Amino acid sequence: MSARSKARKRALDMLFQADVRAEPLERVVEAEAARAAGEPDRLASWMYAREIVDGVADHAAEIDELIVSYAQGWSLARMPNVDRAVLRIAAWEILHNPEVPTAVAIDEAVELAKEYSTEDSSRFVNGVLGRIGEYASA
């Protein structure tokens, strides 16, 4: 697994934890930073995970608005917590990280959804992100 794939998983863990526990994201990030400091072999994945989480937080309103717009009848509250976090990560990469091709962001998100969410989530995530990708390239 690449460092960026590991970073996406770490970002997913942080966003999911903050969401489910209704904890401030900053507190979750601080705890993860302390853990990462004790594990130097995970430094590469930590740096990108932090960039993702900070990016999602900085652009939360825009990202959530696009997700809801393209989710066709699904509110954020109705989505499984994992799907919501996966969509936010990939949407940030598509919209705000030019180093990551849209297809890679979508593929990585679909894989996370397959591994951590419901049976139908990967198709849902793929559809929403495909529309966000089209929007971003327009």
Side-chain angles (χ1 to χ4, degrees), residues 108-124:
E108 290 279 336
V110 167
E111 290 305 313
L112 286 170
K114 283 180 183 175
E115 187 170 350
Y116 297 107
S117 197
T118 69
E119 187 176 313
D120 296 326
S121 290
S122 61
R123 286 190 304 273
F124 173 72

Side-chain angles (χ1 to χ4, degrees), residues 98-111:
E99 295 176 13
V100 177
T102 296
V104 171
I106 293 171
D107 185 55
E108 290 279 336
V110 167
E111 290 305 313

Side-chain angles (χ1 to χ4, degrees), residues 30-52:
E30 287 171 12
E32 186 64 22
R35 186 174 319 137
E39 301 174 16
D41 58 318
R42 294 175 56 171
L43 184 59
S45 67
W46 162 247
M47 298 301 287
Y48 188 56
R50 177 69 188 258
E51 184 179 349
I52 292 169

Side-chain angles (χ1 to χ4, degrees), residues 4 8 48 51-52 55 59 89-102 105:
R4 284 208 168 170
R8 288 180 187 95
Y48 188 56
E51 184 179 349
I52 292 169
H59 300 281
I89 290 166
W92 174 79
E93 285 188 314
I94 291 167
L95 298 166
H96 298 286
N97 189 348
E99 295 176 13
V100 177
T102 296

Side-chain angles (χ1 to χ4, degrees), residues 49-68:
R50 177 69 188 258
E51 184 179 349
I52 292 169
V53 171
D54 288 346
V56 168
D58 290 346
H59 300 281
E62 172 198 18
I63 289 168
D64 286 354
E65 181 180 326
L66 283 172
I67 291 170
V68 169

